[in-house]
Amino acid sequence: MSDSDQDPDYEEDSPKLSFLIHTKSSSGQDATFSFETSGQDQTLDPECEITSSFLSFSMSRSSPTSGESPTSREVPESCVMTSFLAVSMADSATKDSFAGQRLAPHRLTNVPFPAQVQKQLQGFYLSKKQLLRMKDSLQAALEKGLKKQAQDGPGGLPMLPTYVCALPDGTERGYFLALVLGKTHVETLLLHLSGEEKQKAQIKKQTFAIPAELLHGNGFQLFEFLAKCLAKFLDDLGISEKSFRLGFCFPFQCEHISLNQCKLVQWTKEFYCSGVVGENVAQLLQTALKEHCKNYNIEVFAVLNDTVGVMMSCICEEQPCEIGLIIDDGTNCCYMEQIENIAGMENQAGRMCLNTEWGSFGQGGELDNILTEFDQLMDKECTNQGMCRFEKLISNIYVCEIVRIILATLSEKGDLFSGVLAPSLLTKGVLKLQDILDIIDEKVGLVKTKNFLTRQGLVPNNQDCSFVQQICQIVFLRSAHLCAAGVAAIITHIRTSQKRAHLNIGVAVSGAMYRGQTQYRETVQQTLKTLIPECTVTFVTSEGSAVGTSLVVAAAVRLGKLREQLSAILAPLQLSTGDLEKIRKQMRWEMERGLSKETNNVATVRMLPTFVCQLPDGSERGDYLALDLGGTNFRVLMVQVKSPQEGGINIISEIYIIPTEVAQSTDVELFDHIVRCVMDFQTKHGMKDRTLPLGFTFSFPCSQLGLDKGILLRWTKGFSAVGCVGRDPVELLREAVKRQEHFGLNVVAIVNDTVGTMMSCAYEDPKCEIGLIVGTGTNACYMEEMKNVSTVESGEKRMCINMEWGAFGDDGSLDYIMTAYDKKMDAASINPGQQRYEKLISGMYLGEIVRYILLDLTARKIIFQGQSPSVLKTKDLFPTKLLSDIEKGGQGVQEVCTVLEEKGFVITTEDAHLVKNVCQIVSTRAAKVCGAGLAAVVDKIRENRQLEKLEVTVGVDGTLYKMHPHFARQVQETVALLAPKCQVKFLLSEDGSGKGAALIAAVAHHKSQQKPT
């Protein structure tokens, strides 16, 4: 907008004259006049007798004549005895740049510094490159501090845990006290929250002045004073409530071990009370409260830094701010960090506020390249030389001292005040923040500058005043630039750790530096936009830390109650070692019943003979066909078995889909579809005229009557094709071949996928005698001594037994560990009451258990603020991959939010933490229940062979075992716990069900060729 747009009285061709006159009358009173002319004649009030004045005005006109002298406004001699006059003039081409000065006649046009002064002050002007380098350096120090590497050398920030883990969500209710220890005052506050939606907090507060003698007195007396202030505050309120939880804002560096246990590291801010350093601050206050607040039951629930209180006090776009910033006498910043990123807390979940203590940044020399000679002079005057480098460049106490030292140094060198050095400029503390704010103020800056300098005994000219204003400005703005770079470092760390391309975040900010001047605020915000354009940052000004301190308590109380409630709800899912040992014994008992001819028909673990009696020995050779049917994906494979020198095993395969309507149709439709897939494979790979030995992996419960003959006992995994149960799958396949007039199949073996997995791994490790599948479903097999198998006769020494352990517990023997969620999931499944053990373990069912738990937690208003997301009503919402993604190692809460948002959830970080917790509990139970069953198997093999110690390998396949971040480890730990005499190795199967079927066919083919003709 042009000047003429702003000022309707602006006349394009009229000279503009602006005056400010500071006068002293004959009576000795100060008076200030400011006015502006538009070319018309103006006269001073003749009744005003002026004995001395400082006069300044500026002039702007459209086109001054080249070489024209500045125009002066004549002041009657009778009114003025002495004056200092400055005039400036600009043409219309520079009108916009001078508009502010024209409208603010009190402010002089900046007079350029002499070259020698400019050189000395050049270091205060920081380039974008320098700020980016500083941002990166501070981010590196932050991340070094997170890993607790600071002890390895300088450079790491302290990064102190605060144990503040919950942000308010609006559902908090109750009375909460706050006690804030300030520099000169104590603030007490009572916050009442109703817990209702869109609640309005009721706040009562009172402030007490701290007696000066307490600042350096006995620490116990200080805490007694605090307790007495709190007692008086509550007495004056006269409320009926007598029990309170208290948050104590203690703005000194402390080492926390919990939310209400912390030791004071050191006093700062002119405090030094004896007997407190190294002591538990919360306990000192609690002792004083018991003595001096006897009418009340007050629990010190939290001790926190003032920066944390600032962060907690502010809401950004209806969400709590996640960064707290103070720029005051000192400076500090805190933010919400993922707990698993904090050294020593890697196994914990959720978030915690970290107190960065960023004022200490630079003690390792990271800021040396931007320090000026004035910064170094100021540091030498400090009692903490070389310490708090960053704070000394930003906070108001040090900014004032830097300005003072610049003025004194330039005066001494003759560059200011005609070389007159006022003694006061050598005095620490003579320049206050308010002085600087006044000096750079756009309305009264020049007058305030002259007044300040005059008070110091100086007689400044207008050039001096301009220089002082500019010096204050550049030091002030350097503080803003550096502060912005520091905040940018923290935001960048948050964004990158959350793996986000863009981040929206709120910063709560307090302190006189930020609040005191608009230009400082605007500079911080604009610099942030320049340094981190990929982030949207909203600043929210805090009115102090008292409300935030009480909200820390409110949120922590809510979180504590929520965790207690959640723990009670989820307790039945958390099994003890005794529970697991009972499962192991029950599994062993059912195994014996399944192996016995007399009890096999009533056993829930069927222990089915497979007629696989030999493991591969490495001598197998040839080409074999394999079919793998175990779920919605059907595979056809051609397996070439060669010697290791020739390349070992080579596999060619194709995957075909079994549509749900086919899986749940009829025997004819299902097996015709399978044969068409085989025909397509043979055609694609030029095998139509070849008839190869074929192994058929059929991953459903079968009673085998021979290696190539079995009876389907029941469908699982969502299959329900009619006309199949009670029949031989091999025969069904052969009939389909005839219907398709395709005669190129020679089925030599029908095998379970678990057996195939064992055989595949046995080819790699001869000690592999157990197969385990944990994926969509679950099953196990192992090599049993034939003397223990009475359900079938065979001349072989051993035979692989397909346990079909998924049905374990179908007789009700596992009801004692079944929860209400298990029962709901079972009732809604396609086979209620069946496969009870499988439903506790496999990926097909775990997600449903999680979903039912979340529905219950929502109904109890523990999660999602009691508002059930519509997506949560979707069946099979949580597949194995989603559970794995949620629990993935290093997966922060924000990343869990992202995963769930992609599913349609509107979720808070606290909700995400709870969802992750539920998933972990459900998957942990599954892994331990699986491990208990496997422990029964390995221990049986050991006892069969009468060994003191067994070494055995388990071949494992299945998406849950392979993909889940913790499942495999928890299975292994449970086996080691329950079968301590067995050394068990776990070997992941590569293409087990397909390659294993081909190897079974290869072993059978090899054996048949060795028989005498």
Side-chain angles (χ1 to χ4, degrees):
M1 181 181 290
S2 68
D3 288 346
S4 56
D5 290 331
Q6 294 182 45
D7 187 350
D9 296 327
Y10 182 82
E11 298 178 25
E12 185 68 31
D13 297 323
S14 300
K16 293 291 183 179
L17 294 146
S18 301
F19 295 81
L20 182 137
I21 302 178
H22 180 74
T23 73
K24 186 176 290 292
S25 68
S26 57
S27 61
Q29 293 182 327
D30 287 337
T32 300
F33 302 89
S34 63
F35 58 94
E36 177 178 275
T37 77
S38 297
Q40 293 86 7
D41 190 28
Q42 298 269 354
T43 59
L44 295 175
D45 185 349
E47 295 181 5
C48 176
E49 182 184 355
I50 303 176
T51 59
S52 66
S53 70
F54 298 93
L55 171 64
S56 68
F57 62 92
S58 61
M59 176 178 177
S60 171
R61 79 180 186 188
S62 58
S63 38
T65 306
S66 176
E68 183 179 358
S69 301
T71 303
S72 300
R73 173 78 165 82
E74 184 177 343
V75 180
E77 287 186 10
S78 61
C79 296
V80 180
M81 293 180 62
T82 62
S83 69
F84 298 90
L85 175 66
V87 184
S88 65
M89 179 172 64
D91 63 20
S92 59
T94 59
K95 219 164 32 192
D96 285 344
S97 63
F98 278 80
Q101 295 170 7
R102 180 177 62 80
L103 295 172
H106 51 277
R107 183 171 183 140
L108 292 172
T109 303
N110 284 346
V111 180
F113 289 121
Q116 70 274 16
V117 175
Q118 182 67 33
K119 185 175 180 181
Q120 292 179 80
L121 299 179
Q122 189 62 41
F124 289 94
Y125 300 94
L126 300 176
S127 67
K128 179 181 177 181
K129 184 176 180 180
Q130 286 176 299
L131 292 174
L132 285 171
R133 190 182 301 123
M134 200 225 82
K135 173 187 81 74
D136 294 341
S137 182
L138 194 146
Q139 184 181 346
L142 180 153
E143 289 167 357
K144 185 175 182 181
L146 271 179
K147 297 173 183 175
K148 294 300 178 190
Q149 295 175 340
Q151 63 267 30
D152 299 335
L157 292 179
M159 304 302 289
L160 304 175
T162 66
Y163 293 86
V164 173
C165 299
L167 298 175
D169 70 355
T171 64
E172 292 79 11
R173 65 171 59 210
Y175 289 91
F176 305 98
L177 279 173
L179 180 65
V180 179
L181 178 59
K183 188 175 180 180
T184 58
H185 290 78
V186 173
E187 185 176 358
T188 55
L189 178 142
L190 178 65
L191 174 71
H192 180 221
L193 300 172
S194 64
E196 298 173 356
E197 188 176 355
K198 296 182 179 179
Q199 62 177 324
K200 290 185 178 180
Q202 297 179 17
I203 297 173
K204 303 289 185 181
K205 57 184 178 180
Q206 190 173 355
T207 301
F208 301 87
I210 303 174
E213 62 271 16
L214 287 183
L215 301 182
H216 299 88
N218 183 290
F220 297 103
Q221 293 176 340
L222 173 64
F223 284 95
E224 285 178 0
F225 172 74
L226 296 177
K228 290 176 180 177
C229 291
L230 202 54
K232 185 177 188 311
F233 170 59
L234 292 173
D235 289 344
D236 291 346
L237 288 178
I239 62 173
S240 59
E241 185 71 28
K242 300 299 179 184
S243 294
F244 303 96
R245 288 186 172 96
L246 169 72
F248 180 30
C249 182
F250 188 69
F252 306 97
Q253 185 174 339
C254 291
E255 180 182 339
H256 280 258
I257 58 174
S258 70
L259 188 58
N260 66 349
Q261 294 186 65
C262 66
K263 294 180 180 180
L264 175 63
V265 175
Q266 63 179 3
W267 287 109
T268 56
K269 304 174 186 178
E270 301 181 12
F271 273 79
Y272 188 82
C273 299
S274 62
V276 182
V277 174
E279 296 297 321
N280 184 341
V281 173
Q283 188 57 53
L284 291 174
L285 180 58
Q286 190 70 68
T287 300
L289 290 172
K290 287 182 179 179
E291 179 65 26
H292 299 284
C293 293
K294 293 182 178 180
N295 294 332
Y296 306 96
N297 178 23
I298 302 174
E299 176 188 0
V300 181
F301 200 78
V303 179
L304 56 138
N305 185 279
D306 51 349
T307 319
V308 181
V310 165
M311 182 189 76
M312 294 290 285
S313 69
C314 293
I315 299 293
C316 169
E317 296 178 355
E318 299 185 355
Q319 292 294 326
C321 291
E322 297 190 24
I323 297 176
L325 171 64
I326 288 183
I327 322 164
D328 206 75
D329 288 352
T331 182
N332 196 15
C333 193
C334 68
Y335 73 101
M336 295 301 292
E337 177 63 84
Q338 297 173 20
I339 293 180
E340 53 264 46
N341 292 339
I342 304 172
M345 300 184 181
E346 293 85 353
N347 295 325
Q348 300 182 39
R351 297 194 304 164
M352 181 184 293
C353 180
L354 285 184
N355 170 20
T356 67
E357 289 292 340
W358 76 357
S360 64
F361 175 60
Q363 290 171 196
E366 298 89 345
L367 298 173
D368 288 357
N369 63 334
I370 65 170
L371 293 179
T372 67
E373 63 176 291
F374 307 108
D375 298 314
Q376 293 167 348
L377 288 171
M378 181 270 295
D379 186 60
K380 288 180 181 179
E381 293 185 2
C382 296
T383 57
N384 59 346
Q385 287 186 33
M387 309 291 285
C388 301
R389 287 288 195 184
F390 193 54
E391 183 168 87
K392 287 174 181 175
L393 298 177
I394 292 179
S395 66
N396 65 47
I397 288 178
Y398 298 109
V399 164
C400 293
E401 288 303 295
I402 292 168
V403 170
R404 177 185 64 80
I405 288 171
I406 294 173
L407 298 184
T409 303
L410 295 182
S411 297
E412 194 172 18
K413 291 181 177 181
D415 295 320
L416 269 181
F417 315 129
S418 302
V420 176
L421 174 59
S424 61
L425 292 181
L426 300 176
T427 305
K428 287 180 67 173
V430 69
L431 184 63
K432 305 296 183 185
L433 176 63
Q434 190 56 52
D435 294 321
I436 290 184
L437 296 177
D438 289 344
I439 288 169
I440 62 178
D441 188 275
E442 292 188 351
K443 293 182 178 179
V444 294
L446 179 61
V447 174
K448 294 291 187 179
T449 304
K450 291 182 183 291
N451 286 345
F452 171 76
L453 295 174
T454 302
R455 289 200 305 271
Q456 310 312 312
L458 294 166
V459 182
N461 59 35
N462 288 329
Q463 178 175 279
D464 290 332
C465 293
S466 175
F467 285 175
V468 170
Q469 286 184 302
Q470 291 179 69
I471 289 167
C472 289
Q473 190 86 347
I474 62 174
V475 177
F476 204 64
L477 293 185
R478 183 186 68 165
S479 166
H481 288 136
L482 290 173
C483 179
V487 175
I490 290 176
I491 293 175
T492 300
H493 165 75
I494 295 172
R495 183 185 63 80
T496 54
S497 66
Q498 294 179 6
K499 299 175 183 171
R500 292 197 166 201
H502 185 271
L503 180 68
N504 291 317
I505 196 164
V507 178
V509 59
S510 182
M513 286 284 279
Y514 189 87
R515 290 197 310 265
Q517 217 253 353
T518 302
Q519 190 179 9
Y520 192 97
R521 296 193 295 272
E522 291 174 348
T523 301
V524 170
Q525 294 169 22
Q526 189 56 49
T527 305
L528 267 175
K529 289 180 182 178
T530 302
L531 298 180
I532 48 172
E534 66 277 10
C535 300
T536 301
V537 186
T538 303
F539 283 84
V540 183
T541 303
S542 168
E543 295 304 318
S545 54
V547 172
T549 300
S550 60
L551 283 172
V552 166
V553 178
V557 168
R558 174 184 56 78
L559 183 61
K561 289 179 179 178
L562 184 148
R563 287 177 174 171
E564 287 177 8
Q565 210 175 346
L566 188 65
S567 179
I569 292 168
L570 300 180
L573 289 153
Q574 297 173 293
L575 304 180
S576 66
T577 302
D579 293 327
L580 298 174
E581 177 63 22
K582 186 175 179 180
I583 293 170
R584 185 194 70 80
K585 289 179 178 178
Q586 287 177 294
M587 178 66 81
R588 177 64 183 274
W589 172 247
E590 285 296 320
M591 289 172 69
E592 300 291 356
R593 280 161 46 94
L595 290 171
S596 172
K597 186 176 182 179
E598 289 75 21
T599 55
N600 175 265
N601 63 330
V602 294
T604 58
V605 180
R606 297 301 301 275
M607 304 298 285
L608 304 175
T610 66
F611 295 88
V612 174
C613 301
Q614 289 182 308
L615 299 174
D617 61 10
S619 64
E620 297 79 14
R621 300 289 184 272
D623 295 346
Y624 302 90
L625 203 59
L627 309 182
D628 179 14
L629 178 64
T632 55
N633 289 337
F634 168 62
R635 290 193 309 150
V636 184
L637 309 91
M638 198 274 280
V639 181
Q640 298 174 318
V641 184
K642 302 177 182 179
S643 67
Q645 295 77 15
E646 295 173 313
I649 292 178
N650 182 47
I651 299 174
I652 300 171
S653 68
E654 296 280 351
I655 297 176
Y656 299 89
I657 300 298
I658 304 290
T660 302
E661 60 270 20
V662 173
Q664 298 176 2
S665 60
T666 66
D667 56 340
V668 172
E669 290 184 54
L670 175 60
F671 281 88
D672 280 358
H673 179 78
I674 290 171
V675 170
R676 283 194 294 270
C677 294
V678 176
M679 291 172 62
D680 178 76
F681 178 84
Q682 289 188 323
T683 301
K684 280 183 179 179
H685 298 283
M687 299 170 56
K688 199 168 184 181
D689 298 326
R690 297 183 67 188
T691 301
L692 301 177
L694 184 147
F696 184 13
T697 298
F698 189 73
S699 305
F700 302 93
C702 284
S703 175
Q704 282 196 246
L705 306 177
L707 188 59
D708 65 346
K709 185 176 178 62
I711 301 298
L712 176 62
L713 300 177
R714 63 182 175 276
W715 283 117
T716 57
K717 305 175 187 177
F719 278 67
S720 60
V722 298
C724 299
V725 174
R727 296 192 63 190
D728 179 8
V730 175
E731 186 60 32
L732 291 170
L733 182 62
R734 287 171 177 158
E735 290 175 0
V737 169
K738 290 179 182 179
R739 284 194 297 272
Q740 298 295 328
E741 298 182 356
H742 182 77
F743 303 98
L745 298 184
N746 175 25
V747 183
V748 299
I750 179 171
V751 299
N752 185 274
D753 55 349
T754 318
V755 181
T757 294
M758 182 190 73
M759 292 293 283
S760 173
C761 291
Y763 186 80
E764 307 291 335
D765 182 351
K767 289 185 179 180
C768 183
E769 298 186 49
I770 302 171
L772 173 66
I773 298 282
V774 193
T776 305
T778 183
N779 194 17
C781 69
Y782 72 103
M783 296 302 291
E784 178 61 88
E785 307 297 319
M786 279 306 300
K787 64 182 181 180
N788 297 329
V789 184
S790 62
T791 55
V792 67
E793 294 182 3
S794 173
E796 301 289 345
K797 184 181 178 182
R798 294 174 183 165
M799 181 182 290
C800 179
I801 297 297
N802 169 21
M803 294 178 65
E804 288 299 338
W805 74 359
F808 174 46
D810 285 2
D811 59 353
S813 59
L814 292 178
D815 284 359
Y816 69 98
I817 63 169
M818 295 287 180
T819 67
Y821 311 113
D822 297 307
K823 293 171 183 176
K824 284 183 179 180
M825 177 273 297
D826 179 55
S829 68
I830 62 172
N831 56 348
Q834 298 177 20
Q835 300 295 105
R836 302 296 292 275
Y837 189 62
E838 182 171 80
K839 288 172 180 174
L840 292 170
I841 295 174
S842 70
M844 184 174 186
Y845 304 103
L846 297 189
E848 279 300 276
I849 297 171
V850 167
R851 190 173 69 85
Y852 280 112
I853 292 172
L854 295 180
L855 282 170
D856 183 40
L857 296 180
T858 304
R860 296 171 185 256
K861 297 187 177 181
I862 293 175
I863 196 169
F864 306 132
Q865 295 190 352
Q867 303 298 316
S868 180
S870 57
V871 68
L872 197 55
K873 298 172 184 176
T874 306
K875 197 174 189 300
D876 300 322
L877 177 67
F878 292 92
T880 302
K881 185 179 185 305
L882 181 59
L883 295 180
S884 300
D885 286 345
I886 289 173
E887 295 187 58
K888 192 177 296 179
Q891 188 84 309
V893 173
Q894 194 60 53
E895 291 156 303
V896 175
C897 282
T898 301
V899 169
L900 293 171
E901 284 166 359
E902 290 173 356
K903 279 287 182 179
F905 284 88
V906 177
I907 191 167
T908 67
T909 53
E910 200 167 289
D911 289 338
H913 170 58
L914 290 179
V915 171
K916 186 172 183 177
N917 189 25
V918 169
C919 292
Q920 287 172 334
I921 288 173
V922 172
S923 64
T924 296
R925 182 188 68 163
K928 290 183 175 181
V929 169
C930 178
L934 192 57
V937 176
V938 298
D939 216 38
K940 186 174 193 314
I941 295 175
R942 182 187 66 80
E943 290 182 11
N944 284 347
R945 300 176 190 177
Q946 299 179 348
L947 298 172
E948 184 62 30
K949 192 80 174 177
L950 172 71
E951 291 185 13
V952 69
T953 298
V954 179
V956 195
D957 204 350
T959 52
L960 182 59
Y961 189 94
K962 287 183 172 181
M963 292 174 56
H964 193 279
H966 312 300
F967 194 93
R969 173 181 54 80
Q970 291 167 336
V971 169
Q972 295 166 23
E973 289 173 351
T974 305
V975 172
L977 175 68
L978 301 180
K981 294 183 179 181
C982 299
Q983 185 175 327
V984 185
K985 175 183 174 182
F986 289 80
L987 180 62
L988 291 180
S989 170
E990 297 300 329
D991 203 14
S993 56
K995 184 171 75 173
L999 285 168
I1000 292 171
V1003 170
H1005 183 66
H1006 183 62
K1007 183 178 179 181
S1008 67
Q1009 289 183 327
Q1010 290 180 329
K1011 287 183 179 180
T1013 56

